[in-house]
Every structure is written in C-alpha cells, then in structure tokens.
Amino acid sequence: TAGKKCTVCGEVTVAQEEIPALGHTEEDVAGKDATCTEKGLTAGKKCTVCGEVTVAQEEIPALGHSWENGSCTVCGQKEVPAEINGYTVSLGGEIGVNFYLTLTDKAAADAETRVDFTLPNGTVQSVSIADAVKTDNGYVFTCGVAAKEMTAVIKGQLFTSTGASSDVFKCCVKDYAEKILDGTEQEYIDAQPLVKAMLNYGAAAQMYFDYNTDNLANDILSEADKVVADADFADYGYAITGKEEGVTYYGSRLTLEDETLIKHYFYITTDVIPEITVNGEKVEAEKKGDLYEVVIDGIVAQDLDEKYELKIGGLTLDYNAFSYGKLAAQGEDAMLINVMNALYAYNQVANQY
C-alpha cells in the first residue's frame, strides 16, 4: 500500500502494507495443425496483464504426404517423382537423346520406375530405371532416334509403380546440334565436324524416306557444309565362301535406325537349321515367309566399316554396311546413293572423333 515518511529524519509515519500478488490472468493461444509440408504448434497460454507465456507452445513436425495412385490422400497434391535437369545427344555411336533426371528417393528405389518415350510415329519406347545410368547430374534415360527423325520432337515422361508421373519433357536432335554448332568451347569445336556429318546423314535419310522434308536436318548448315563427297566403296564388296547343303544366300539390306542394322536373308530347306554364328558368337534366324532372317545389330557409326563374318554351317558370308553401299552405288536410285554417301562420311568423321 502507499505510505509516508519524514523528509527531515526519514522516520516512517505511515507504514506500507504488502498486497498479495494478483496471479496471472490467462488467455488461450491457438495452436496450428501440422500439414503435409508445414510444421504445426500445440495450443498455449499467456497472461493478458503482463504478457508472460504460462504454457509454451510446442512444435509439431510436418506430417509428410501420404501417396496413393500418384497423389496425396490428405492434401490432394500430385506426386512429382522426377525433374528434368537437361539433355544431351549421343554423337559418336548410336544416335540418341539422353535425358538427365533428378529422382525422388522413392522413385529411385522403385524397381518399376520407367520413362516412356513417345516417338514421332506415335509408338512408345519404355526405358526401365534398371537400364538408366546414375551420374552426378542425375539418372540418364536414353532414347534412340532414327536418322530420318533428327528434326522431330521426342517426348518423355517418367512413371512409377504408384501411378506418380513427372511433367512431360521434350527435345530434338537438331536443336541440340545447333547449340553445339554455335558453341565456342573446345569440346563443342571438336564435335562440330561430327555434328555436321550427322545432320547431312539425317537430311539424306529424310529425303530417301520422304519424311518431314520441309524441315531438313542440315538446313542449319552452310551450303559448303552440306556438300557430301561421293564415297569410294570399291573395297567393300561381300564374299561368300564354302557351302552348306540346303542353304542359299538370298540377299541383304540395311535398316537405318538409331543404330544401323544389317539384315541377311537365306533360303533354308533342311529340317534342322545349321548352327549360325556372327564373328564366332551364336545367333538365331527368324522365319520371314519363305526366307530366314539373320540380324546383325549394335552397329554404331564408327563401326560401319567393320566386316562381319556370318557362318551357317559350312557357308561363310563376309559383309559390312558398306557392302550394301557398293551395291547401291551401282544402281540408279540417286537418293539411296546419297544416303550411303552421307552414311560413309558420317562413319569417317566418327572414326576421327
């Protein structure tokens, strides 16, 4: 209470009396529910008079999403299992686009994670995570591109076993090639001759197959760089030696996909097909009408001039991609000759790259 004292001697004339503490007057402080991505708080209390916190609030951890069928059952957010970091184009071997993706831990651990590539003809090519390559810049999923499709847009999308999917990502070989041609760094400069040869090959394939000819792969090159010299296929004939009863060589052809395929055809009239090998490794023949087809695949650009020895029993066929080129050069199909000339030039530059 209030009191009094003498101002001269200091004697207390009216003593002060103690008043008991009033105690806090509490009010509630509302809590906050945790969500899938944000932390929450418990309810608390504080004094309305002095503001002192009488019951402290405690942090509630974020709940995390509960994914099912590609979305969260709590908040409805779509599950995004991957993000695109960028893409490159394979130059020295098979023609292909390489997408670099950052995956969530869940997607990376999912054995059923895959990327579906939608090709220009509408077909879908699936690449499993087991076939992807893990790098410091993410998981690399590769899609092969046929020579004639270098100007077409390739679309990809990642899917997981839970139904989650990434955004659709897109690329085009020609667009990436243009980036290399415009580059001034040494690695780009080194790759430019190969890129030019690849684009000329793509344009020749477009003309041959009459595919998207209004947007040729090499139309970003100078007129001088578009010139492809005539190839000399004189040393690339094929040879057949030996023989096998009931086996007759019919012919061969090339398939110009992301890699070059050699397809050989034989008449085989025996009940039991003789053992077939390519460069010593056993392969199988597939029945195609009256003929049997033997496919040699995996022929990348720098190996186009390599000879393959195919044996069916005692019959041996020595052949390479340019054996077909030699036959084409003897014909009158100008566009096929142009394709083979461009393919030869591509091989020569790839060997130097």
Side-chain angles (χ1 to χ4, degrees):
T1 60
K4 292 187 178 185
K5 67 178 181 178
C6 177
T7 59
V8 178
C9 67
E11 182 180 341
V12 174
T13 57
V14 178
Q16 291 180 289
E17 296 181 3
E18 186 178 88
I19 302 173
L22 300 175
H24 293 297
T25 301
E26 291 182 321
E27 68 173 357
D28 293 328
V29 177
K32 176 185 176 184
D33 291 335
T35 68
C36 295
T37 58
E38 296 183 356
K39 300 174 182 177
L41 291 171
T42 61
K45 293 180 182 290
K46 69 176 182 179
C47 179
T48 60
V49 179
C50 68
E52 181 179 337
V53 174
T54 56
V55 178
Q57 292 180 284
E58 296 181 1
E59 188 177 271
I60 303 171
L63 303 175
H65 293 293
S66 178
W67 301 116
E68 185 175 323
N69 298 325
S71 62
C72 179
T73 58
V74 178
C75 68
Q77 179 178 316
K78 177 186 174 183
E79 184 177 6
V80 181
E83 293 183 356
I84 180 76
N85 295 331
Y87 72 92
T88 61
V89 171
S90 300
L91 298 175
E94 302 174 10
I95 302 170
V97 291
N98 310 301
F99 288 96
Y100 290 75
L101 303 178
T102 295
L103 273 57
T104 62
D105 291 341
K106 181 180 177 182
D110 186 346
E112 296 182 35
T113 292
R114 71 184 193 281
V115 170
D116 285 352
F117 292 103
T118 302
L119 304 181
N121 63 3
T123 61
V124 175
Q125 180 183 121
S126 293
V127 178
S128 166
I129 189 170
D131 296 320
V133 178
K134 187 177 181 180
T135 71
D136 292 339
N137 197 30
Y139 284 83
V140 184
F141 292 81
T142 299
C143 174
V145 178
K148 68 179 183 181
E149 296 174 343
M150 292 186 197
T151 62
V153 174
I154 307 297
K155 299 178 182 179
Q157 189 173 19
L158 183 138
F159 296 91
T160 71
S161 63
T162 64
S165 61
S166 70
D167 293 333
V168 175
F169 39 88
K170 306 174 183 179
C171 78
C172 172
V173 171
K174 181 181 178 181
D175 291 345
Y176 189 80
E178 187 167 17
K179 175 184 174 182
I180 294 176
L181 294 175
D182 291 339
T184 57
E185 290 142 349
Q186 191 59 48
E187 63 177 324
Y188 286 169
I189 293 172
D190 292 342
Q192 286 168 2
L194 182 60
V195 167
K196 293 174 184 178
M198 181 184 71
L199 293 176
N200 281 329
Y201 169 44
Q206 285 177 266
M207 294 299 295
Y208 179 71
F209 291 108
D210 192 24
Y211 180 86
N212 199 15
T213 55
D214 291 335
N215 180 22
L216 292 177
N218 67 351
D219 65 10
I220 58 177
L221 302 181
S222 68
E223 292 304 313
D225 285 333
K226 291 179 184 178
V227 176
V228 178
D230 291 338
D232 182 3
F233 296 116
D235 296 331
Y236 294 105
Y238 71 92
I240 297 176
T241 56
K243 63 181 181 177
E244 179 67 23
E245 188 70 27
V247 177
T248 304
Y249 173 61
Y250 175 79
S252 302
R253 69 185 180 94
L254 292 187
T255 300
L256 306 178
E257 299 180 358
D258 54 315
E259 60 184 9
T260 303
L261 309 178
I262 300 176
K263 297 183 177 181
H264 297 301
Y265 297 92
F266 298 86
Y267 285 114
I268 301 177
T269 58
T270 56
D271 292 335
V272 178
I273 298 176
E275 181 178 82
I276 305 174
T277 62
V278 174
N279 290 349
E281 294 188 11
K282 190 173 180 180
V283 298
E284 300 293 331
E286 183 178 351
K287 192 80 162 64
K288 297 283 187 177
D290 294 333
L291 299 170
Y292 283 86
E293 179 186 75
V294 179
V295 178
I296 301 175
D297 58 11
I299 307 174
V300 295
Q302 63 268 29
D303 293 337
L304 289 166
D305 53 356
E306 295 294 324
K307 187 165 288 188
Y308 294 87
E309 182 185 72
L310 185 153
K311 290 188 175 184
I312 302 183
L315 183 148
T316 299
L317 170 64
D318 289 317
Y319 200 102
N320 72 12
F322 296 140
S323 301
Y324 185 85
K326 182 176 182 178
L327 293 174
Q330 295 169 354
E332 298 181 357
D333 189 334
M335 285 195 286
L336 177 59
I337 294 171
N338 288 340
V339 170
M340 296 311 303
N341 287 337
L343 186 61
Y344 179 82
Y346 182 38
N347 162 256
Q348 297 300 295
V349 180
N351 280 333
Q352 299 170 15
Y353 180 64

